[in-house]
Each structure stands twice: as C-alpha cells, then as structure tokens.
C-alpha cells in the first residue's frame, strides 16, 4: 500500500497541482481507511529516505498536500527542462515583486511591473505564450500564487499574494537575498522587508 | 470611478468626497437616497482601507523600475544606442536575447525547494513479455492500473514515447553489433565490453536491458567462450531456420552487476 501511495504521489506531483486526501483515499488506500494516517506517515518516510522529498500539508482543513524537495540546494546545473526553468524564473520575479511591495499587490500593479520586463498580458509571449493564463491560472492552481477579488470594484480587480506552495518552497529571506543580489545591494538596505524576512 | 485618483496618497479627493456626501445628506429625505449614501460610505471606507494599506506598503522604498532594469541586465539585455525612431511599445534599441528567461530560471531554481518532476526511466514493458515473467508483470500492472486512472491521458503519452525510444535504442544497438561483427566476423565480441559504459553505471544497465530485447527477439545470441565469459554476436537471417526448432526452449539467464563490480 505504501509503495503504491508513493508512486501515486510522485505521478500526481508531475503537474505540481496539489494532491487531495480524498483522491488518495479513493485510489490507493480504499479499504485500508483506518490505517490511513499510518500509511501516509510511512509514505512520507519513504519519500524522504529514498527520494529526498517531503510530503507537506498546505491546507489542514481540506487536507491538501504537496511534495517539496528536502535536499539542500546543490550548486551547479539543475536537471530540469527549459520550460520549467523559465517559468520558475518568471515566478521568482513575481514573488519578489509581491514581497517587496508589502506582500500584496493589485493585478494592475503587477502587470505594470511585468511590462517593464517585456511581458504583456494581452500579447503572446515568445517564451511563455499566454502569460495571463500562466499567471492567473497555472500558478494559482499550483498554489504558488493566491488571488483574491477586491470587493466592490467595477470592473473587478484582483490582488495577488504568495500561495501556500510558495511559502513552503521558498522563503522571504531567500527572495530578499535574490533581490539584493540582482540590485547589488545588501539585504539590510530594505530595513522593513529585512526584519520581516528575518522574523519569518 | 475616480478610484485611482482617490487612492493616490497625495490626494485629498477621498476626504473631499466624504465631506460632500455629508453635506448632501442634510438634504436627504427619502429612504432611497439614504441607501445610496450608505452604499457610498461602504465604498469610501474600502478605498480608505486600501489607501491605508498602500501607506504601509511603502515599506522601505522599493524601486520596482530599478529592479526591473537590474533584472533585464541580469538576463543579458543588449542596450544599444539608437535614436528614438517612432513610438513602439517595445523599447527601441534594447535587445533581449532568446535565452533571457532561461538564464533567469537557472538562477531561480536555486531559491526553490521544488520536487523534481517524476518520470519513469524505462517506460513500461512491451506487450509480449516472455512467459515466465508475465505473472509478476500482471500483478504490478493491476496494482498500478488504479493509480494511473487518476491521470490516464498524461501517462499514455509518456508511455508511448518511452516505448518508441526503447525500440529505437534496441535497433541502434543491433546495428552497432552488426557493424562490429561485419568488420571482423571471427573475433567474438565480449558481452561485457559491449554493454559497459565506463562513465555511467546507469547507462550500462540500460544497455544490458536493450540487449536483452535483442536476445529475446532472436536477433542476437550469447554464448560462453573458452574462458566461460559471455560473448555476443548477431544472428544472420539465414541462421533463422536452425534456430526455429529451438525457439521453444527459452533460457533465462540472470546476470548480476552491482556498482562495485562495474567499477
């Protein structure tokens, strides 16, 4: 059961869409419901010992899980495909912007910023294709970003924040370090962001 | 409307609007007007809250324009001196290379603890495995079948491409074997020399795997030479007749090779 669950989780994780407990129960655990938590615990142990991955619950109410990497980040070339890498690049840029601007930005502000990087919501991008879809749908579904409607706005406006996957896969400190590196400054240059990152 | 104008931290528009609403309220005598006033208050307070938020989010001044410039620099933008020809949404004269975002992505991967996407290395077995192996396979497939139901479309695509890749590899290896043998038909090729990749244990295992297909399909054969070491040679189609009578007798050989031995 445990190895089936491990395989199930690995395959489900391919699209980076979080995994629901209900799916795990329905497809793998089935009759063994009572042993559910034990099976999950063992699966997590296997994932950690064999693959260096960790099963993390990002929504304790609705029981939704993701897989993250437990290993320390190695230096040097990472073996992912280019498409994945490019998306992570865009994502990091967006997450940095959101954090540096106080953890929440309006969609208009975000697109205005991306404009400066030659990324436009209305225009097909040579690397990302339909960027609007990537940002508002894919990243949100994968829980990297969270979007909430701003009440009483017409036409409706949205605000963007970090999603639970972003919180687990990276940190404010890492992101601040990235910004500092890009701007060749010390992270303490941005005092309030720095203290917020340290407190995290 | 005018939301943006009101939000501008430097403007007092919101205060002015509130004051005007107050004044107007004095003249109100119908319920509908009062309702409108209430609605206005809700909107105004939302705007007020946003304004307060923006004040807080000034944080330590973060210059997003400068940040964007720095990002472009990092991505390798080529800023050439060009006079302003006409208006265009793209900045004239600055050229962003095609691997710009790949460069960014390379850097970005250092900041994420992202689980690498999982792929089966060998794909799934072909549809007609040798008889003794079938039992084990069926059990495995039954167990996996349900798990795969969750994402059938995606897995099918993967399996197909892996199968093709396997077939191509097998063909390629057969051709290499045949070429070697043609060049020197009297010198047997040591099995281990043939499959061993001095730089990669994984590749060696893959090679053994592909060679096993050749044997199974009767395209190559392995014999033991005088020193009891296995040698491999391709089977010419003419020899096929001889082999038919022996087709019934299938041999299973287990070769074990671990990383230490391989080294």
């Amino acid at each position: 059961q445990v190895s089936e669950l491990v395989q199930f989780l690995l395959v489900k994780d391919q699209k980076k869409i979080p995994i629901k407990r209900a799916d795990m129960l329905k497809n793998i655990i089935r009759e063994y419901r009572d042993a559910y938590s034990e099976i999950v615990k063992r699966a997590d142990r296997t994932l950690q010992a064999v693959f260096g991955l960790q099963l993390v619950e990002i929504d304790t109410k609705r029981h939704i899980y993701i897989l993250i990497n437990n290993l320390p980040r190695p230096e040097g070339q990472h073996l992912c495909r280019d498409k994945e890498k490019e998306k992570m690049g865009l994502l990091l840029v967006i997450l940095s912007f959101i954090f540096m601007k106080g953890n929440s930005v309006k969609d208009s502000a975000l697109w205005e910023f991306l404009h400066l990087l030659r990324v436009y919501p209305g225009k097909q991008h040579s690397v990302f294709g339909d960027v609007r879809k990537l940002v508002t749908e894919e990243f949100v579904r994968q829980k990297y970003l969270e979007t909430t409607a701003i009440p009483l706005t017409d036409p409706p406006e949205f605000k963007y924040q970090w999603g639970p996957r972003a919180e687990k896969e990276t940190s404010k400190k890492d992101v601040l370090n990235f910004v500092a590196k890009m701007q060749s400054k010390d992270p303490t240059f941005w005092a309030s962001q720095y203290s917020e990152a340290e407190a995290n | 409307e005018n939301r943006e104008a009101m939000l501008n931290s430097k403007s007092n528009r919101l205060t002015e609007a509130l004051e005007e609403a107050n004044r107007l309220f004095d003249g109100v005598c119908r319920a509908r007007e009062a309702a409108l006033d209430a609605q206005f208050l809700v909107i105004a307070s939302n705007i007020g809250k946003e304004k307060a938020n923006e004040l807080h989010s000034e944080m330590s001044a973060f210059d997003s324009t400068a940040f964007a410039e720095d990002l472009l620099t990092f991505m390798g933008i080529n800023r050439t001196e060009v006079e302003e020809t006409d208006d265009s949404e793209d900045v004239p004269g600055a050229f962003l290379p095609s691997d710009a975002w790949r460069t960014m992505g390379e850097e970005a991967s250092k900041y994420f603890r992202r689980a690498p996407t999982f792929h089966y290395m060998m794909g799934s077995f072909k549809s007609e495995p040798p008889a003794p192996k079938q039992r084990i396979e069926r059990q495995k497939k039954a167990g996996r079948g349900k798990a795969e139901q969750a994402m059938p479309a995606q897995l099918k695509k993967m399996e197909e491409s892996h199968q093709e890749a396997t077939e191509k590899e097998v063909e390629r290896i057969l051709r290499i074997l045949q070429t070697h043998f043609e060049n020197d038909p009297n010198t047997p090729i040591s099995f281990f020399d043939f499959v061993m990749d001095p730089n990669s244990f994984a590749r060696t295992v893959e090679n053994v795997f592909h060679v096993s297909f050749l044997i199974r399909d009767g395209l190559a054969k392995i014999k033991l030479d005088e020193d009891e070491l296995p040698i491999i040679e391709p089977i010419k189609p003419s020899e096929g007749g001889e082999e038919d009578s022996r087709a019934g007798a299938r041999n299973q050989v287990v070769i074990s090779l671990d990383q230490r031995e391989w080294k």
Side-chain angles (χ1 to χ4, degrees):
Chain A
Q1 226 61 30
V2 177
S3 46
E4 275 185 33
L5 181 60
V6 168
Q7 230 175 52
F8 176 76
L9 291 171
L10 286 169
V11 171
K12 267 290 208 175
D13 180 66
Q14 282 169 345
K15 284 261 158 93
K16 296 295 165 194
I17 296 181
I19 309 152
K20 294 188 252 203
R21 180 173 79 168
D23 288 338
M24 287 196 256
L25 285 170
K26 191 170 35 139
N27 288 305
I28 304 295
I29 306 194
R30 287 170 290 169
E31 315 83 65
Y32 302 93
R33 286 183 113 86
D34 306 323
Y36 168 75
S37 51
E38 183 60 33
I39 298 179
V40 167
K41 231 187 291 179
R42 292 209 201 159
D44 183 29
R45 248 181 275 151
T46 307
L47 284 167
Q48 292 200 36
V50 176
F51 297 97
L53 301 176
Q54 202 185 345
L55 185 64
V56 178
E57 190 169 20
I58 54 170
D59 185 333
T60 45
K61 247 197 299 173
R62 281 171 265 175
H63 302 294
I64 301 181
Y65 299 82
I66 57 170
L67 284 184
I68 63 171
N69 204 331
N70 228 6
L71 301 169
R73 297 189 197 106
E75 288 299 318
Q77 280 278 335
H78 288 77
L79 296 165
C80 11
R81 282 184 292 210
D82 281 349
K83 259 269 141 329
E84 232 179 78
K85 267 194 258 193
E86 290 161 337
K87 286 185 191 172
M88 296 312 277
L90 180 63
L91 179 66
L92 181 60
V93 163
I94 295 177
L95 291 175
S96 317
F97 179 69
I98 295 177
F99 169 57
M100 297 303 282
K101 279 297 199 184
N103 299 307
S104 171
V105 296
K106 275 206 303 209
D107 55 359
S108 50
L110 178 62
W111 291 113
E112 205 176 285
F113 172 67
L114 291 178
H115 243 249
L116 301 171
L117 299 173
R118 322 293 183 73
V119 174
Y120 312 100
K123 200 165 136 188
Q124 195 75 355
H125 192 267
S126 56
V127 170
F128 300 114
D130 186 344
V131 196
R132 180 185 280 283
K133 192 159 172 215
L134 173 62
V135 174
T136 61
E137 289 180 31
E138 191 171 321
F139 284 158
V140 172
R141 218 180 318 134
Q142 295 173 333
K143 302 284 181 196
Y144 277 118
L145 292 178
E146 212 165 69
T147 171
T148 13
I150 302 178
L152 298 176
T153 47
D154 183 35
E157 289 174 41
F158 294 84
K159 63 176 184 202
Y160 286 95
Q161 293 163 302
W162 281 31
R165 189 188 281 272
E167 311 259 354
K168 293 277 189 254
E169 286 192 11
T170 186
S171 68
K172 292 180 177 170
K173 197 163 172 192
D174 286 325
V175 163
L176 180 61
N177 284 336
F178 168 68
V179 174
K181 181 172 176 180
M182 292 292 115
Q183 301 221 263
S184 308
K185 291 194 163 75
D186 195 85
T188 51
F189 178 76
W190 297 276
S192 45
Q193 285 90 332
Y194 181 73
S195 47
E196 188 183 330
E198 289 294 302
N200 216 293
Chain B
E1 331 130 352
N2 304 324
R3 197 189 176 86
E4 281 308 315
M6 293 208 191
L7 279 175
N8 189 334
S9 53
K10 299 200 182 73
S11 92
N12 282 324
R13 293 279 286 270
L14 185 58
T15 320
E16 289 165 17
L18 278 165
E19 284 173 1
E20 185 170 343
N22 257 347
R23 258 180 284 124
L24 287 170
F25 195 71
D26 286 337
V28 157
C29 47
R30 285 195 188 77
R32 178 68 191 132
E33 290 159 2
L36 280 174
D37 181 76
Q39 216 177 10
F40 166 73
L41 261 185
V42 174
I43 298 181
S45 63
N46 271 326
I47 296 182
K49 184 173 102 167
E50 250 189 83
K51 247 186 128 162
N53 268 341
E54 294 214 349
L55 275 178
H56 170 257
S57 74
E58 277 316 310
M59 290 182 82
S60 307
F62 172 63
D63 185 348
S64 44
T65 315
F67 182 49
E69 286 295 315
D70 290 330
L71 290 174
L72 289 170
T73 308
F74 181 78
M75 290 198 272
I77 195 169
N78 195 341
R79 293 188 179 92
T80 53
E81 301 284 341
V82 171
E83 318 116 39
E84 301 277 324
T85 41
D86 50 61
D87 62 333
S88 38
E89 3 170 283
D90 291 320
V91 176
F95 172 67
L96 201 59
S98 55
D99 67 349
W101 285 102
R102 212 182 317 145
T103 310
M104 182 58 73
E106 199 58 57
E107 178 69 19
S109 49
K110 300 184 198 153
Y111 298 84
F112 285 98
R113 284 167 53 186
R114 185 171 154 114
T117 358
F118 175 74
H119 291 292
Y120 291 105
M121 191 168 81
M122 295 296 188
S124 45
F125 287 97
K126 279 162 77 156
S127 45
E128 289 158 29
K133 279 197 191 159
Q134 248 166 10
R135 219 185 327 131
I136 309 165
E137 259 213 50
R138 276 218 205 92
Q139 265 180 6
K140 247 210 212 162
K141 277 226 176 108
R144 274 203 288 161
K146 294 271 171 66
E148 289 178 0
Q149 254 168 38
M151 315 184 18
Q154 202 202 13
L155 265 183
K156 269 202 201 110
K157 254 187 272 172
M158 237 181 26
E159 278 173 356
E160 276 167 5
S161 65
H162 275 272
Q163 265 186 343
E164 279 169 22
T166 312
E167 283 172 31
K168 282 204 191 99
E169 268 303 296
V170 172
E171 265 175 68
R172 188 179 72 91
I173 291 197
L174 176 61
R175 248 170 274 140
I176 295 175
L177 183 60
Q178 284 169 337
T179 317
H180 273 279
F181 204 68
E182 270 166 36
N183 293 339
D184 198 349
N186 293 317
T187 316
I189 304 166
S190 153
F191 173 72
F192 286 114
D193 280 344
F194 188 64
V195 295
M196 207 71 77
D197 178 338
N199 296 320
S200 161
F201 178 64
R203 204 77 180 86
T204 304
V205 173
E206 268 191 58
N207 290 338
V208 175
F209 176 68
H210 290 128
V211 167
S212 71
F213 277 109
L214 290 175
I215 310 286
R216 183 204 77 184
D217 291 337
L219 294 165
K221 60 185 176 192
I222 294 187
K223 306 192 285 214
L224 292 177
D225 68 2
E226 308 94 39
D227 302 316
E228 301 270 345
L229 289 173
I231 52 173
I232 181 170
E233 56 182 60
I235 293 181
K236 292 203 243 332
S238 59
E239 290 178 22
E242 216 180 83
E243 298 301 310
D244 271 343
S245 56
R246 293 206 301 151
R250 283 189 197 268
N251 285 321
Q252 262 194 315
V253 179
V254 178
I255 299 179
S256 78
L257 182 67
D258 66 15
Q259 251 181 322
R260 250 183 299 141
E261 274 183 32
W262 167 75
K263 274 212 181 109

